[in-house]
Amino acid sequence: MIPSINNICCIGAGYVGGPTMSVIAEKCPEITVNVVDINANRIDLWNSKDLNNLPIYEPGLAKIIKNCRGKNLHFSTNVEKEIKNADMIFISVNTPTKTKGIGAGKASDLKWVEVCAREVAKYATGHTIVVEKSTLPVKTAEVIKNILENSNEKQEENNSTFDVLSNPEFLAEGSAINDLLDPDRVLIGGESNIAIMALHNVYRNWVANEKILHTNIWSSELAKLTANAFLAQRISSINSIGAICEATGADVREVARAIGTDSRIGSKFLDSGPGFGGSCFKKDILNLVYLSNYFGLREVANFWEGVVQLNSWHQHRISELIVKKLFGTITGKKISILGFSFKANTNDTRESAAITICRDLIEEGAILKIHDPKVNKYQIEDDLNLEEHSHLLSKDNFKIQRDGAWIFSEDIMDSFEEVDAVVVLTEWFEYSKLNWEIISKKMRKPGWVFDARSIISAKDVINSGLKLWRIGDGSID
């Protein structure tokens, strides 16, 4: 008999757990959904009365939180209590790349996954379905299962039994709510058909049966890594072609349009840009590299590692190009940076191309004026590992500054005052509508615009008297 799910607990209130559980709560009003996290500050933000102060920005998320929070959607730090009450527990914690030890730089650090599994083993009562939601390397479910079945933490006392499922997320940040509401597919991997159907029935409240795919647990885990690797590969591929276009006089947008009409290829992820970012692409590819080497598949490992290497080369290439265009030196020169998040419609900066490019420019001695509509200056400080130099707001201090530095621009128009160049790194819509006639009058001549996202009007920039470089096209006169 397929069990009815009445109470869901999600461990981890981050980019996956928060939005996913919010949509489940909205679509399944009969299910109580509790999101728990040991980070009290994060939970406080999820419970904030100011919906503009949520820890995650996703279009449509605040509306769902407003409708469900306090009804059947709750956020707390009471991990023990919510594990005890749950019929189904999602593990949605961070799995960063290891920084030391075996597999450092490639393998995932599963410390928090193990901690969660031990907490579940300790506090769960009766039969509990445990669902992997974090992006995890293949065979992680086996680790979780072993911990749950072999832990002596109160299991006999609580009469605990478990099933383990893999249910990877396939969300694109910036459109995560739409991806959850209308997914291409929902993937559920497991050994128990009863447990699989229990989760299947949760999704059936809004997802068509034919979109809910069942696999074995290992295929499910590998499918997530493979999906991200293939998407990242397309980005590196089109950026490599973009570099050839710049060298030959071709236009990468025209090339992308031509190949995108081929039904075997398709048009998605063919926009040349400053390189892929986000929490998953690089991490998941490096995971594949580690697994491939572990199983003795060196050529496979080299192939996927090349995707990451090209992405890194491409970001540094943009930095070098900016220096070259500004007469070979940017020491003391002011540069406006438009966008710091790794893509539009999110405040996530993890692995953002802007981090690498900004660090390169600061290392060369530039003074950056950074603007982003959703990323705050404290996040930028953390990512650059460099405090904001607010004293540079003084024009006199700008003149004497010789070491690289950065300041945060709350007002986008302030970021253009006396700058030598503008660099567009995130495709925020508001950047595509800027008045370059006004901006050009604020800039120092000869002024450059570097459009790494192909979102601004080349005609408007050129007509304003500024010089333009555009990704995959080169300098435009």
Side-chain angles (χ1 to χ4, degrees):
M1 181 177 176
I2 299 170
S4 177
I5 303 301
N6 300 309
N7 195 307
I8 288 176
C9 171
C10 176
I11 306 175
Y15 276 90
V16 175
T20 303
M21 293 303 113
S22 298
V23 169
I24 289 178
E26 181 184 56
K27 293 299 181 180
C28 307
E30 73 285 357
I31 297 178
T32 299
V33 179
N34 290 284
V35 184
V36 296
D37 201 297
I38 60 173
N39 186 328
N41 180 59
R42 180 181 294 170
I43 292 298
D44 287 343
L45 291 174
W46 279 114
N47 286 320
S48 173
K49 292 181 179 179
D50 181 3
L51 293 174
N52 292 318
N53 199 35
L54 296 175
I56 295 167
Y57 173 74
E58 279 288 339
L61 176 60
K63 182 180 178 181
I64 295 176
I65 295 293
K66 181 180 179 181
N67 292 338
C68 299
R69 192 177 60 191
K71 297 175 183 176
N72 70 322
L73 176 63
H74 310 278
F75 298 89
S76 78
T77 57
N78 201 334
V79 178
E80 176 182 347
K81 174 188 173 184
E82 302 310 338
I83 288 177
K84 285 180 178 179
N85 293 336
D87 307 308
M88 180 176 284
I89 297 173
F90 287 79
I91 294 178
S92 187
V93 294
N94 192 22
T95 54
T97 302
K98 292 180 70 174
T99 57
K100 58 183 179 181
I102 298 173
K106 293 184 176 67
S108 288
D109 187 343
L110 301 180
K111 174 178 66 176
W112 294 113
V113 173
E114 181 176 344
V115 168
C116 287
R118 294 191 181 280
E119 291 285 287
V120 172
K122 184 175 183 179
Y123 297 120
T125 58
H127 185 72
T128 306
I129 299 172
V130 179
V131 184
E132 292 179 337
K133 199 65 182 173
S134 302
T135 300
L136 300 168
V138 182
K139 297 288 187 178
T140 303
E142 194 171 80
V143 174
I144 295 173
K145 186 178 179 182
N146 282 336
I147 292 172
L148 294 174
E149 291 181 349
N150 296 302
S151 174
N152 57 9
E153 301 265 16
K154 296 188 178 181
Q155 279 195 353
E156 293 183 6
E157 177 185 333
N158 294 339
N159 191 29
S160 303
T161 58
F162 304 94
D163 279 311
V164 179
L165 301 176
S166 170
N167 176 220
E169 52 83 17
F170 296 99
L171 307 179
E173 290 187 43
S175 62
I177 299 302
N178 286 334
D179 294 339
L180 287 163
L181 292 173
D182 185 22
D184 290 333
R185 77 294 204 192
V186 171
L187 185 58
I188 305 173
E191 298 173 348
S192 165
N193 190 55
I194 292 175
I196 289 173
M197 287 307 301
L199 182 54
H200 180 115
N201 288 341
V202 171
Y203 284 111
R204 267 192 62 190
N205 284 279
W206 76 97
V207 181
N209 266 323
E210 59 270 20
K211 285 188 173 184
I212 306 176
L213 311 180
H214 299 179
T215 70
N216 70 45
I217 203 161
W218 320 128
S219 296
S220 176
E221 290 177 329
L222 186 57
K224 169 60 178 176
L225 297 182
T226 305
N228 281 343
F230 270 58
L231 293 174
Q233 179 196 25
R234 281 176 70 95
I235 294 172
S236 282
S237 295
I238 197 63
N239 282 337
S240 72
I241 299 303
I244 296 175
C245 288
E246 292 170 27
T248 61
D251 186 333
V252 73
R253 282 152 294 278
E254 294 178 350
V255 173
R257 187 171 76 249
I259 66 173
T261 57
D262 189 324
S263 60
R264 298 168 299 174
I265 298 174
S267 60
K268 292 185 177 180
F269 278 74
L270 288 181
D271 293 325
S272 190
F276 59 75
S279 62
C280 289
F281 281 1
K282 180 180 178 180
K283 176 170 71 74
D284 289 355
I285 294 177
L286 292 176
N287 229 314
L288 278 180
V289 172
Y290 176 74
L291 286 170
S292 300
N293 280 322
Y294 178 82
F295 290 112
L297 305 171
R298 184 176 301 173
E299 289 78 11
V300 177
N302 291 342
F303 173 81
W304 287 112
E305 193 160 21
V307 174
V308 176
Q309 291 171 346
L310 192 140
N311 192 61
S312 177
W313 167 82
H314 178 63
Q315 292 171 1
H316 291 300
R317 180 181 81 90
I318 293 174
S319 309
E320 293 169 4
L321 188 145
I322 292 170
V323 174
K324 182 178 178 181
K325 294 292 185 184
L326 296 181
F327 308 113
T329 179
I330 56 174
T331 301
K333 291 179 179 177
K334 299 181 287 294
I335 299 175
S336 171
I337 302 294
L338 298 185
F340 201 80
S341 59
F342 85 93
K343 64 183 292 190
N345 295 319
T346 180
N347 59 348
D348 193 356
T349 62
R350 288 176 291 181
E351 298 294 341
S352 174
I355 299 173
T356 297
I357 293 170
C358 287
R359 282 175 176 168
D360 285 349
L361 298 179
I362 290 171
E363 181 71 21
E364 288 287 335
I367 301 165
L368 307 184
K369 303 172 80 172
I370 303 175
H371 176 274
D372 191 287
K374 293 297 178 182
V375 180
N376 62 51
K377 67 177 182 180
Y378 306 107
Q379 183 61 54
I380 297 173
E381 282 184 338
D382 285 344
D383 289 330
L384 296 181
N385 195 27
L386 182 66
E387 290 186 2
E388 179 197 26
H389 285 61
S390 56
H391 67 280
L392 294 177
L393 291 170
S394 161
K395 288 188 177 181
D396 290 336
N397 280 327
F398 264 137
K399 290 177 182 177
I400 64 173
Q401 180 72 22
R402 288 295 177 265
D403 295 326
W406 71 277
I407 61 172
F408 186 70
S409 292
E410 292 276 0
D411 186 328
I412 187 171
M413 295 308 292
D414 289 343
S415 73
F416 304 123
E417 291 287 350
E418 289 296 305
V419 299
D420 294 88
V422 177
V423 185
V424 182
L425 294 180
T426 310
E427 70 278 24
W428 288 103
F429 178 74
E430 63 191 85
Y431 298 157
S432 68
K433 299 300 180 183
L434 292 170
N435 187 323
W436 291 101
E437 192 66 37
I438 294 175
I439 292 170
S440 67
K441 295 175 181 177
K442 293 175 173 286
M443 295 174 63
R444 212 165 67 134
K445 302 299 185 296
W448 273 91
V449 177
F450 298 91
D451 183 6
R453 291 290 187 173
S454 296
I455 61 168
I456 61 179
S457 167
K459 180 181 178 181
D460 289 349
V461 172
I462 298 301
N463 287 345
S464 72
L466 296 169
K467 296 178 179 294
L468 174 65
W469 173 88
R470 188 166 61 177
I471 192 86
D473 199 6
S475 300
I476 301 174
D477 299 316

